[in-house]
Amino acid sequence: MVAALTAMTNMSVAQEEMNIGKSNIKIEGGRMTPEALWAMGRISSATASADGKVIAYQVGYYSVKANKSHQVICITDADGKHSFQLTKSAKSETDPQWFGNKICFLCDGELWTVNIDGSERKQITNSNGTIEGYKFSPDLKKVILIKSIPFYEVIKKNPDDLPKATGRLVTDLMYRHWDHYVETIQHPFIADVDPQQGIVGTQLSDILEGEPYECPGEPFGGVEQLAWSPDSKTIAYTCRKKTGIDYAVSTDTDIYLYNIGTRETKNLCKSDGYTEPKINPSHTLADQAVNAPENMQNNPGYDQNPQFSPDGKLIAWTSMSRNGYESDRNRLCVYNLENGEKNYITESFDSNVDAFIWASPKDKEAMVYFIGVWHGCVNMYAVKRSGEIVQMTEDWADWISIAPANDNNRILAMRQSLSTPTDIYIVEPGKKLQKTKIQQITFENKHILSQLQLGKMQQRWVKTSDGKDMLVWIMLPSGYEPGKKYPTLLFCEGGPQSPVSQFWSYRWNFQIMAANGYVVVAPNRRGLPGFGQEWLEEISGDWTGQCMNDYLSAIDDAANNLPFVDRDRLGAVGASFGGFSVYYLAGHHDKRFKAFIAHDGAFNLESMYTDTEEDFFSNWEYDDAYWNKNQTERARKTYENSPHKFVDQWDTPILCIHGEKDYRIVYNQGMGAFKAARMRGIPAELLIFPDENHWVLKPQNGILWQRTFFEWLDRWLKK
């Protein structure tokens, strides 16, 4: 009987996992709940057929009960009129790409193809389930396969006679990254493809054979970091060819050309014979020789995501100028393959190029299309061949990806906002902003959104303490009633240099805050992109200066001038640098706030300096290691104003949240803040996730996060 019950239970779990798909959730009272948020389908990629008539895209569905996601491939006509789910197996299918008139996708580490009507599903690789990404050559005769290989440069291999040993002998830095120990790295391999049989060969050629470097790059890089030339003879790839401490203190990734025939590699970023100057790893690279003017031609910063022009004569990539500065302005570099000349074509756009594509040769004026943030919105732009930049969209929204739609120069794009999750659009560029045509072709979560009463959003410009104008987003509560006052949350952005744009989040979601009866005040404080480089860079070395004054300017303006804000029920919430901001404000808020929530925030900056894995970040932001006796004034100020030194001034209830697999801001930071608050006699709670990183990714943990978040706020702000 026990065995039979166990078998039935296992079968029911398997059945539940197979049935993860679009939810038919019914929402009572039109109120967004954590369950409604997790019931939404999440579109993550889209690709157009060669004739532009059919779009394949990936959607993720989540089951709270099974605590898992299920990824599927869907199909839609380019006009959005006919759509359906293509893949229907119990396993996740991801990364759709076109293989002639078939769809290729990843499932269980292998490549499969299927007709667009769902017939003739076939596995085309035999790689023991080890493929993690792929990209076909334009002629479909070869494919890049991303696979992981063993890596023993910084963690030594344990003796073969100790197979159950769990210890790790670490010999250098970067022994862990983001949320995992670095015991493997990804390499790109080339395999032949038989286009008639549609089968990928088993003989593989490692582009980085014998090299101890990763490609794509950690922690978030994918196949966008590699590109095929139009003639299928050359591959451009992104790589930071460093290990250990050299890797940890540097952001110097370069673009390399790999010739498939000769297997020769050329660095497009560095001059022949270039030798990197010696680096002091415990001091900012800002004033070191590697970033001296005479070395700028060698592209010492991040260079990533190459793309060949349609005629194969040019190659473009996103380029940051300075080494060690992860938030430097992302420019667009165009490299002439015939003469080696570099041209930075977006210099007049004083913000980041987030993603780009080459314009079709049919467009005689535009050279490149790109998306970038300006004034709290990510819009679409065209760079003309004359160098002029023309804005193509003007939405209170974030365009989050662009790709060729392969039909009369149209663009396949994805868009979201503070009120709408991601959907897919077709954009027809116009010569002027007013001439651009936009058509939405997916409505993935219409069945949920149509049941919700959403909060209304306002844009407000606020004077800062130093007389500047600051953009602040205001989200009104769902069912807002004029004349009524509401508890209000100051949203503190992370990064520290990430924009408060029109993002849709499944955790820091303004609409679920509105549904719980809160006003949200979200300032684009000092240090955020989209307001010029000077505004962006004012935060480095000054974490507790003007940016903190900007927070207070935003919440004071709301409390004093917005009639619906209850100044006696204010809270401050934030993650990462936003969590650091909360910890600092806890000791410097002059009794403005009645509750705080800090997620994965830095609490003790001296500890943070040696805790974090990417040392270039702390070096650039703090200037110096805390032990350096000849610290800069900025470094001294940073350490003297670490939040942990002001716990004696804490007087307000605080919830601390942290993931134990967060290696960016290690969990001892949150535990230390919680313990300090309790030892001071301040009401405090700690929500700790042993299996989460800097984010919360598992469905049941996500629901727990939301419930804990609002239970804490309601306790202190709704009395």
Side-chain angles (χ1 to χ4, degrees):
M1 177 64 73
V2 171
L5 287 174
T6 301
M8 289 176 64
T9 300
N10 290 340
M11 186 170 64
S12 65
V13 170
Q15 186 66 36
E16 173 67 25
E17 292 177 3
M18 287 178 65
N19 290 336
I20 300 175
K22 182 171 285 193
S23 170
N24 294 317
I25 186 171
K26 301 297 182 183
I27 299 170
E28 299 295 331
R31 179 175 174 267
M32 173 87 82
T33 63
E35 291 77 10
L37 201 57
W38 278 87
M40 292 183 175
R42 307 184 190 185
I43 297 176
S44 57
S45 67
T47 180
S49 60
D51 61 8
K53 294 180 179 180
V54 182
I55 310 298
Y57 61 100
Q58 179 180 330
V59 186
Y61 298 109
Y62 290 77
S63 167
V64 174
K65 182 178 180 181
N67 203 32
K68 289 186 175 183
S69 69
H70 186 215
Q71 303 292 321
V72 301
I73 309 299
C74 296
I75 294 289
T76 183
D77 293 341
D79 59 10
K81 291 181 179 179
H82 301 95
S83 61
F84 60 93
Q85 184 176 320
L86 177 67
T87 60
K88 298 179 180 179
S89 75
K91 296 178 180 179
S92 285
E93 293 98 348
T94 66
D95 303 87
Q97 292 184 29
W98 288 90
F99 183 67
N101 58 4
K102 294 178 179 285
I103 302 294
C104 187
F105 58 90
L106 263 175
C107 181
D108 260 3
E110 301 289 356
L111 294 187
W112 295 69
T113 57
V114 65
N115 291 331
I116 60 173
D117 62 1
S119 64
E120 297 186 20
R121 179 183 169 110
K122 180 172 71 172
Q123 182 177 330
I124 65 170
T125 57
N126 186 12
S127 295
N128 298 316
T130 57
I131 300 172
E132 299 167 39
Y134 70 102
K135 183 172 282 190
F136 285 104
S137 60
D139 63 9
L140 299 182
K141 294 181 179 180
K142 295 185 183 296
V143 64
I144 298 171
L145 302 177
I146 306 299
K147 293 170 168 266
S148 289
I149 63 172
F151 181 70
Y152 302 120
E153 289 290 316
V154 294
I155 300 177
K156 291 301 181 184
K157 183 179 183 297
N158 281 342
D160 292 338
D161 63 338
L162 301 175
K164 296 184 179 180
T166 59
R168 294 179 172 98
L169 180 59
V170 177
T171 61
D172 208 340
L173 300 188
M174 286 311 300
Y175 56 92
R176 58 185 192 178
H177 208 160
W178 188 250
D179 60 3
H180 62 279
Y181 282 83
V182 183
E183 296 172 292
T184 62
I185 56 174
Q186 289 185 326
H187 268 203
F189 295 81
I190 303 173
D192 290 328
V193 180
D194 182 338
Q196 269 68 44
Q197 298 295 321
I199 299 295
V200 176
T202 57
Q203 296 297 314
L204 305 181
S205 174
D206 186 351
I207 293 176
L208 291 172
E209 185 174 4
E211 297 187 62
Y213 313 119
E214 67 196 22
C215 177
E218 293 273 19
F220 308 123
V223 293
E224 74 283 349
Q225 294 196 346
L226 300 103
W228 285 97
S229 61
D231 63 7
S232 301
K233 295 180 179 179
T234 306
I235 294 171
Y237 67 90
T238 307
C239 193
R240 176 166 27 176
K241 297 200 172 182
K242 299 174 183 291
T243 62
I245 191 171
D246 294 333
Y247 183 109
V249 301
S250 173
T251 60
D252 188 6
T253 59
D254 289 330
I255 304 300
Y256 295 85
L257 278 188
Y258 177 81
N259 185 299
I260 295 174
T262 65
R263 298 192 177 185
E264 294 177 334
T265 300
K266 177 183 179 181
N267 189 332
L268 300 186
C269 295
K270 299 291 189 287
S271 304
D272 292 340
Y274 172 78
T275 301
E276 182 177 84
K278 184 176 178 57
I279 287 174
N280 175 1
S282 67
H283 180 72
T284 177
L285 299 189
D287 55 12
Q288 296 195 46
V290 69
N291 282 323
E294 61 269 20
N295 285 321
M296 287 297 98
Q297 65 180 5
N298 290 295
N299 295 56
Y302 272 130
D303 294 276
Q304 302 185 91
N305 306 342
Q307 292 184 38
F308 287 90
S309 61
D311 62 9
K313 295 180 179 180
L314 305 172
I315 185 169
W317 65 80
T318 57
S319 177
M320 293 187 184
S321 175
R322 290 164 287 184
N323 196 343
Y325 188 18
E326 70 168 4
S327 296
D328 207 351
R329 184 165 64 92
N330 233 350
R331 310 161 299 164
L332 198 60
C333 178
V334 175
Y335 181 95
N336 189 314
L337 289 164
E338 294 179 351
N339 59 25
E341 180 181 299
K342 297 174 191 171
N343 183 22
Y344 298 90
I345 64 173
T346 56
E347 293 299 85
S348 62
F349 185 70
D350 199 8
S351 190
N352 291 322
V353 173
D354 295 331
F356 73 95
I357 56 173
W358 287 94
S360 165
K362 295 180 181 179
D363 192 329
K364 302 302 182 183
E365 292 190 5
M367 183 178 186
V368 169
Y369 303 126
F370 72 91
I371 52 177
V373 64
W374 189 253
H375 287 182
C377 301
V378 180
N379 275 297
M380 200 176 300
Y381 300 83
V383 181
K384 291 189 174 183
R385 298 183 187 280
S386 64
E388 178 188 359
I389 293 177
V390 177
Q391 186 170 343
M392 297 197 307
T393 64
E394 191 176 35
D395 298 338
W396 280 9
D398 279 6
W399 293 93
I400 61 172
S401 75
I402 53 176
N406 301 330
D407 183 19
N408 295 323
N409 206 38
R410 298 193 303 173
I411 298 170
L412 180 65
M414 294 194 291
R415 177 189 182 276
Q416 61 182 219
S417 75
L418 288 170
S419 300
T420 54
T422 300
D423 268 305
I424 301 172
Y425 294 73
I426 295 291
V427 179
E428 296 186 30
K431 294 181 179 180
K432 296 181 179 179
L433 175 63
Q434 296 78 6
K435 298 293 186 179
T436 296
K437 297 179 181 179
I438 300 172
Q439 179 187 6
Q440 183 174 349
I441 63 170
T442 65
F443 299 84
E444 174 60 36
N445 294 294
K446 183 179 180 180
H447 63 297
I448 296 178
L449 296 173
S450 63
Q451 300 179 63
L452 296 175
Q453 185 178 20
L454 298 177
K456 297 292 193 298
M457 185 181 61
Q458 298 179 353
Q459 186 188 73
R460 186 173 179 83
W461 289 89
V462 173
K463 283 292 183 185
T464 62
S465 60
D466 61 345
K468 304 288 180 63
D469 292 320
M470 175 174 61
L471 172 64
V472 180
W473 296 115
I474 306 290
M475 181 68 75
L476 298 179
S478 307
Y480 165 73
E481 300 176 21
K484 184 177 178 181
K485 288 186 178 293
Y486 294 89
T488 299
L489 304 177
L490 173 69
F491 173 74
C492 301
E493 178 60 85
Q497 288 150 311
S498 301
V500 182
S501 58
Q502 287 286 307
F503 64 93
W504 177 270
S505 171
Y506 288 92
R507 189 165 52 262
W508 294 94
N509 187 284
F510 289 7
Q511 284 295 346
I512 199 170
M513 297 178 196
N516 279 272
Y518 290 94
V519 174
V520 183
V521 176
N524 275 273
R525 51 141 176 93
R526 222 59 58 98
L528 301 189
F531 302 89
Q533 197 69 7
E534 180 180 349
W535 182 275
L536 176 83
E537 297 198 357
E538 284 189 53
I539 196 170
S540 295
D542 191 27
W543 279 19
T544 56
Q546 189 57 49
C547 70
M548 293 297 163
N549 293 334
D550 289 349
Y551 284 137
L552 297 178
S553 294
I555 198 65
D556 286 349
D557 170 77
N560 294 331
N561 298 312
L562 299 180
F564 46 82
V565 169
D566 188 340
R567 64 180 307 117
D568 295 321
R569 293 188 293 165
L570 303 179
V573 301
S576 196
F577 180 84
F580 163 87
S581 302
V582 168
Y583 288 142
Y584 182 79
L585 290 173
H588 298 85
H589 68 106
D590 196 23
K591 300 190 182 301
R592 287 175 172 85
F593 300 104
K594 297 297 189 294
F596 291 114
I597 299 179
H599 175 114
D600 286 0
F603 171 63
N604 180 333
L605 294 186
E606 289 189 358
S607 175
M608 170 74 178
Y609 183 85
T610 48
D611 288 347
T612 193
E613 87 282 47
E614 289 185 344
D615 295 282
F616 57 76
F617 173 79
S618 295
N619 274 339
W620 194 276
E621 295 300 317
Y622 308 168
D623 270 8
D624 275 302
Y626 61 82
W627 59 79
N628 286 347
K629 303 305 180 186
N630 58 340
Q631 288 179 358
T632 67
E633 178 62 22
R634 296 199 325 175
R636 184 193 61 77
K637 178 182 176 182
T638 295
Y639 292 117
E640 286 183 354
N641 284 283
S642 176
H644 79 285
K645 296 192 174 182
F646 300 94
V647 173
D648 62 318
Q649 297 174 200
W650 285 18
D651 57 8
T652 302
I654 188 167
L655 169 64
C656 306
I657 307 174
H658 227 106
E660 288 190 33
K661 293 181 72 176
D662 183 356
Y663 301 151
R664 184 62 40 89
I665 300 178
V666 182
Y667 67 94
N668 63 299
Q669 299 283 322
M671 296 174 78
F674 166 70
K675 186 172 184 177
R678 292 303 300 127
M679 294 183 76
R680 285 271 295 116
I682 294 169
E685 291 182 353
L686 172 68
L687 177 58
I688 192 82
F689 292 103
D691 55 348
E692 298 285 5
N693 57 32
H694 202 57
W695 300 321
V696 178
L697 302 176
K698 296 179 173 61
Q700 291 191 15
N701 283 342
I703 298 287
L704 177 62
W705 190 97
Q706 295 284 3
R707 290 180 184 174
T708 305
F709 184 91
F710 290 111
E711 285 169 3
W712 182 259
L713 293 176
D714 291 352
R715 185 189 312 175
W716 303 106
L717 299 182
K718 289 188 176 180
K719 292 181 179 179

